[in-house]
Amino acid sequence: MLRACAVLPLPALTLQTARLLQYTALSAGPGTRYCGSKEMDHLEEEMTCLVCLSLYDDPRILQCSHSFCRKCLENLMRSTDSYLWRFSMGRLKCPACRGITDIANGVHSLPVNFALKAIVEKYQSNRQSKTCSEHSRHQLNMYCVKDRKLICGQCLTVGPHKNHPVDDPDVAYMKEQQTATNLLAVLSDKNFTGVSSVIQKLEEQMTNCKNIVLEDKKEVLMFFDNLIEVLELKKQELLTALNDLNQEVADVFAPKIEKMRQIQDEELDLVSMSSSAQMEDAPLVYLETIHDIQQRMMALKKQQLYPLRTVEIYPRVGQILNDVWVKTNTGDVSLLPIPKFGIHFQKEDPRAIPNSPLCTWIFVAFFFFISLILFMCLCSEISSDFTTRYWSYLSKIMGPALNFGESPVNTVKTVSQTFSTLYLDFIGYLHSLLQRY
């Protein structure tokens, strides 16, 4: 309990504080008796402020040695009835003895009654801790021997400790003094609960688990570093292959484009020369220019243009990545080969009919001529002998044309030869008809 008198000089204590120290000394510690109910009530009365009738809060000492709460004194100075307590400006009458106290600097300048303040705080703490939790405001003044705990009178008479053997707390204290030493000896043993060994094992397991996690992190870093290295290597190999393909495309198309540009430039040059020749007035220069233009046009006409064929890049990277690489295990990525990229031109179909203006005019003339002879054969003036030969020639012409298995080039050659024979026979027949008439 409180021992405030041991640190304060006796002359500094007020009479009120001295009485409080006497009461509190009754419960100062082991070996002393607990205060009775009347003594506790009297003690609380001594710690009650005469103004607010509550326990002192920040007690301040007047010159008459009476103590009051700081807030109570400030309220007295501000109240409408302050003339009853305020003797003059800066002077206050004590509410207990009407003694005069100078407070020119305000209530906060009054000295704090530290002893009284400490006693009140200790009392409030003891009242909270020594009060029965089941029966409020009843002090724990008995010791239940059976349950080995402090109880109040209500606990013994009507509470759960009814008819239990009890003892005085001081006597129980003397009996249980050695118990604490024995308990300390037992608790000092590390193997009492085995918690120390459990903690040690748990710490070892935690350290082991942390080491395993650290090793796994290293494995993850090493695995992905190696995987990134392999992927970076494969990426560079693919990019190198595509760069080589890009160079191949340039090597294939650049010379062709350059050759075609030369022909185009020659053609534009001839157009410019022709335009300039129209403005020429000198006959010799004009004739020489025209001759030069004609010679160059003939040479330009003989220039062969590159055939336009369908071109494609094969294989495509996206197809390889989606069809092969995505389905490959990460461990086998390093084993994947780099494909050979190339530029491929579609080959000409040997069965395709040549697409040229000459072939077009040949077929137009052929069908027109056949239609003319067919019309004449239907007339009565055409002899049956020529009609028989005409159908024979027509069968020779349509037979190869309807045979899709043969090469179109060979078909055109056969049809052309038969058509020439038919044409000569038809001319001879017309000549005979003219001689007859």
Side-chain angles (χ1 to χ4, degrees), residues 147-387:
D147 296 327
R148 304 177 68 85
K149 62 183 299 184
L150 291 174
I151 62 174
C152 67
Q154 292 290 326
C155 294
L156 181 63
T157 56
V158 296
H161 303 276
K162 185 177 181 180
N163 299 326
H164 288 184
V166 295
D167 204 349
D168 185 74
D170 295 336
V171 176
Y173 166 74
M174 298 300 296
K175 293 180 180 179
E176 296 291 339
Q177 276 188 331
Q178 187 61 32
T179 304
T181 304
N182 297 334
L183 293 176
L184 179 60
V186 174
L187 292 173
S188 299
D189 186 3
K190 295 183 179 179
N191 297 324
F192 171 65
T193 59
V195 67
S196 299
S197 60
V198 172
I199 293 175
Q200 182 180 358
K201 292 293 184 182
L202 291 175
E203 289 178 347
E204 291 177 356
Q205 291 179 352
M206 182 179 66
T207 303
N208 186 34
C209 291
K210 286 186 176 182
N211 291 334
I212 293 175
V213 173
L214 184 60
E215 292 178 359
D216 289 346
K217 289 175 64 176
K218 292 180 180 179
E219 289 290 337
V220 169
L221 293 175
M222 183 181 301
F223 175 80
F224 280 97
D225 288 342
N226 295 334
L227 182 58
I228 292 173
E229 182 179 356
V230 172
L231 292 176
E232 184 66 25
L233 178 61
K234 290 298 180 181
K235 183 181 77 172
Q236 294 301 326
E237 291 179 354
L238 285 172
L239 292 177
T240 300
L242 291 175
N243 290 334
D244 295 341
L245 176 61
N246 192 39
Q247 185 62 40
E248 181 182 353
V249 170
D251 294 341
V252 170
F253 283 98
K256 295 181 179 180
I257 294 175
E258 182 64 25
K259 182 65 178 298
M260 295 299 101
R261 288 191 185 277
Q262 292 177 1
I263 297 176
Q264 185 183 34
D265 293 341
E266 178 68 12
E267 184 177 354
L268 294 176
D269 192 20
L270 291 175
V271 172
S272 178
M273 290 180 63
S274 300
S275 299
S276 300
Q278 294 177 357
M279 309 296 294
E280 185 61 48
D281 296 333
L284 295 178
V285 177
Y286 177 81
L287 293 175
E288 184 178 359
T289 303
I290 293 298
H291 178 72
D292 186 22
I293 293 174
Q294 290 176 347
Q295 294 295 325
R296 291 175 62 179
M297 286 179 63
M298 292 176 61
L300 182 62
K301 196 66 177 178
K302 294 179 181 180
Q303 293 285 345
Q304 294 292 330
L305 301 180
Y306 287 109
L308 296 178
R309 293 181 293 171
T310 304
V311 62
E312 64 177 359
I313 301 298
Y314 184 83
R316 297 301 302 274
V317 174
Q319 183 179 1
I320 295 175
L321 294 178
N322 293 328
D323 295 346
V324 180
W325 287 58
V326 173
K327 301 177 183 178
T328 303
N329 296 328
T330 56
D332 298 333
V333 173
S334 60
L335 304 178
L336 291 174
I338 302 300
K340 178 62 177 178
F341 299 102
I343 179 171
H344 302 274
F345 291 93
Q346 185 176 1
K347 295 182 179 180
E348 294 183 356
D349 189 357
R351 297 179 299 174
I353 299 176
N355 185 16
S356 65
L358 180 60
C359 292
T360 303
W361 283 108
I362 290 175
F363 277 102
V364 170
F366 166 74
F367 284 108
F368 176 76
F369 184 70
I370 292 298
S371 301
L372 178 61
I373 297 178
L374 180 62
F375 174 76
M376 295 179 64
C377 289
L378 295 177
C379 298
S380 58
E381 287 81 4
I382 304 299
S383 65
S384 60
D385 184 34
F386 178 77
T387 303

Side-chain angles (χ1 to χ4, degrees), residues 19-35:
R19 289 199 304 268
L20 288 174
L21 288 175
Q22 280 186 338
Y23 286 122
T24 55
L26 297 175
S27 56
T32 59
R33 65 182 182 86
Y34 281 67
C35 295

Side-chain angles (χ1 to χ4, degrees), residues 383-434:
S383 65
S384 60
D385 184 34
F386 178 77
T387 303
T388 303
R389 293 199 308 272
Y390 168 73
W391 289 114
S392 176
Y393 289 134
L394 186 60
S395 63
K396 293 180 180 180
I397 292 173
M398 299 305 295
L402 297 176
N403 188 2
F404 297 102
E406 294 185 4
S407 174
V409 177
N410 296 331
T411 301
V412 171
K413 184 177 180 180
T414 302
V415 171
S416 300
Q417 293 175 355
T418 307
F419 175 70
S420 300
T421 304
L422 176 60
Y423 176 75
L424 294 176
D425 191 5
F426 179 70
I427 294 300
Y429 180 72
L430 289 179
H431 183 68
S432 63
L433 285 178
L434 292 174

